[in-house]
Amino acid sequence: LSLLAAASAAAQACSWLWLRSDPPALRPAVPAALLAALHLLQLGFFFRCLHALKVGWKVCWAKAEEEEEQRHMAFLSHDISMLRLFETFLENTPQLTLLLYIILRTNKAELSQGLGIGTAFLCVSWSLLDYHQSLRSFLQDKHELSLGSSIIYFLWNLFLICPRILVVALFALLWPYGVALHFPLVWLAMFLWVSLQGTDFMESPGPEQLYRAVVAVILYFSWFNVAQGRTLHRSIIYHGFILVDSTLLALAWLWGRAPSEEHSYLLPVVSAALPCYLLGLGLRVTYYKWLHPNMQQEGGFDEVDAGGGSEGLEFRSFLEPDLVNRRMQWLAQTQFPLSQPAQQHLLNGAAAV
């Protein structure tokens, strides 16, 4: 319960800090005191969803030339998508690991529990796909994911995340207090790694540390790009580290388990974990090699993910120069090549100067 409370507080804090850093014209027409109270009551995310529905309803009934409202809707949708991603990895994924541990511990599983676990795995992968699609909506010239690209993107995340959660639950099965030591150590390593990459997402150093701490939790379970530039070497380092760490957790379970028939079914499951992870890596390579939207539309790669040529993609922006969606701009720069006009808006502030 304390972990859930801390995760919820971190997500609400991010939401509140983002609202405070937004240009006044993009903030909800609600008193700041009421917004603060809603976030204090852990209702900030719910309020964001209601506000996005209101703006979305206006967009549905607006004329085609109401481009500003559509940009505003993309702005709101991305914040919601990112908060959902934070919620998934701060709350849902640890709870999924705990539920899997309880089932293995009791060696009993109700049908509802099995369905819940399967649905939870799908939701984790879906949150990553939704986040990536939300980032792509920030491109001026849309390079949308095709159905095939979306399926492969979804599957490679699923095949990478499932073995990771499984081996953590298995390790906790024999050494529950060992996880209490393992998680902080790996989280600290990820936090230092993110800090060394020099992220510049939040408005001030204090909130930036909160962002890095949240990203470190995500990296405990899944890859998440946080810095500009080519990610090939960083991706190799990360997946190599996770593969070695997960293998050690699985070997520790194999070494410490008692020979019995109670969990004999887990041996083939663990044996399939490594091929599953390697399949996920193979699907990721396939995605960036042949199924990436830039490959299908322009014959080039996203600079940070592959190292092909940069075509210079335009990012969405508001017509008024003071209305700059800095967060989406920073994240999009970590994923897509930057066009020359967009390079003028890289300052750490809500508006470009």
Side-chain angles (χ1 to χ4, degrees):
L1 291 177
S2 61
L3 289 176
L4 277 175
S8 179
Q12 297 294 327
C14 287
S15 176
W16 168 244
L17 291 169
W18 295 350
L19 283 173
R20 290 196 60 184
S21 66
D22 288 342
L26 296 180
R27 299 174 189 170
V30 175
L34 179 57
L35 281 177
L38 288 172
H39 284 82
L40 188 62
L41 296 173
Q42 309 300 297
L43 296 175
F45 182 74
F46 179 70
F47 171 78
R48 279 181 174 273
C49 292
L50 290 180
H51 180 61
L53 286 174
K54 178 183 176 181
V55 176
W57 182 259
K58 291 175 61 178
V59 171
C60 289
W61 289 97
K63 297 181 180 179
E65 58 267 19
E66 296 293 337
E67 188 67 23
E68 285 293 280
E69 289 292 341
Q70 296 180 15
R71 292 189 178 100
H72 191 191
M73 190 62 215
F75 172 72
L76 296 175
S77 298
H78 175 75
D79 277 353
I80 290 175
S81 176
M82 193 164 190
L83 284 172
R84 186 185 300 115
L85 183 71
F86 285 1
E87 181 185 44
T88 296
F89 282 96
L90 291 177
E91 298 184 28
N92 300 342
T93 307
Q95 289 299 307
L96 171 60
T97 308
L98 176 62
L99 178 58
L100 190 58
Y101 160 78
I102 292 173
I103 290 177
L104 294 175
R105 187 74 175 178
T106 60
N107 206 31
K108 297 178 182 178
E110 300 290 338
L111 178 60
S112 59
Q113 289 178 317
L115 292 176
I117 288 178
T119 304
F121 275 117
L122 297 178
C123 288
V124 172
S125 299
W126 179 263
S127 68
L128 290 165
L129 175 61
D130 177 70
Y131 166 78
H132 187 69
Q133 289 178 328
S134 176
L135 267 186
R136 298 203 73 86
S137 70
F138 192 45
L139 297 179
Q140 185 66 38
D141 299 320
K142 292 185 178 179
H143 292 57
E144 297 179 351
L145 293 179
S146 65
L147 178 60
S149 299
S150 298
I151 292 175
I152 295 299
Y153 193 95
F154 176 86
L155 288 178
W156 69 254
N157 280 293
L158 180 66
F159 289 149
L160 292 179
I161 291 172
C162 287
R164 178 62 176 173
I165 293 179
L166 174 63
V167 295
V168 172
L170 287 175
F171 183 74
L173 187 61
L174 295 182
W175 295 284
Y177 294 104
V179 175
L181 178 63
H182 176 265
F183 174 78
L185 290 177
V186 175
W187 174 85
L188 181 60
M190 294 301 175
F191 179 82
L192 294 175
W193 192 48
V194 172
S195 300
L196 289 174
Q197 295 181 57
T199 62
D200 187 25
F201 180 75
M202 304 292 272
E203 296 297 317
S204 57
E208 188 68 26
Q209 300 306 314
L210 172 62
Y211 169 71
R212 292 173 179 177
V214 172
V215 170
V217 177
I218 298 176
L219 288 170
Y220 182 84
F221 296 102
S222 174
W223 164 258
F224 188 80
N225 188 33
V226 295
Q228 301 178 39
R230 297 179 60 181
T231 63
L232 178 61
H233 297 102
R234 279 177 286 165
S235 181
I236 292 175
I237 293 172
Y238 170 79
H239 287 294
F241 176 86
I242 292 297
L243 183 59
V244 171
D245 182 68
S246 299
T247 301
L248 291 176
L249 293 179
L251 291 176
W253 175 78
L254 288 171
W255 173 74
R257 73 183 187 91
S260 65
E261 297 294 329
E262 189 177 10
H263 294 100
S264 58
Y265 62 92
L266 287 177
L267 285 175
V269 174
V270 174
S271 301
L274 178 59
C276 180
Y277 195 88
L278 295 178
L279 176 60
L281 292 178
L283 288 176
R284 183 178 181 186
V285 173
T286 301
Y287 171 81
Y288 285 113
K289 187 70 174 176
W290 292 289
L291 297 176
H292 197 280
N294 283 7
M295 285 299 299
Q296 297 177 347
Q297 298 182 23
E298 297 180 0
F301 291 101
D302 276 354
E303 184 179 86
V304 296
D305 289 312
S310 170
E311 298 293 335
L313 300 176
E314 294 280 353
F315 296 149
R316 285 185 182 272
S317 60
F318 291 91
L319 298 180
E320 298 181 34
D322 289 339
L323 301 183
V324 177
N325 188 340
R326 182 192 172 279
R327 292 186 301 277
M328 288 184 70
Q329 192 175 70
W330 166 263
L331 291 169
Q333 290 163 23
T334 67
Q335 301 291 333
F336 311 114
L338 186 62
S339 63
Q340 189 65 32
Q343 292 178 4
Q344 302 171 2
H345 304 284
L346 299 179
L347 298 181
N348 185 16
V353 198

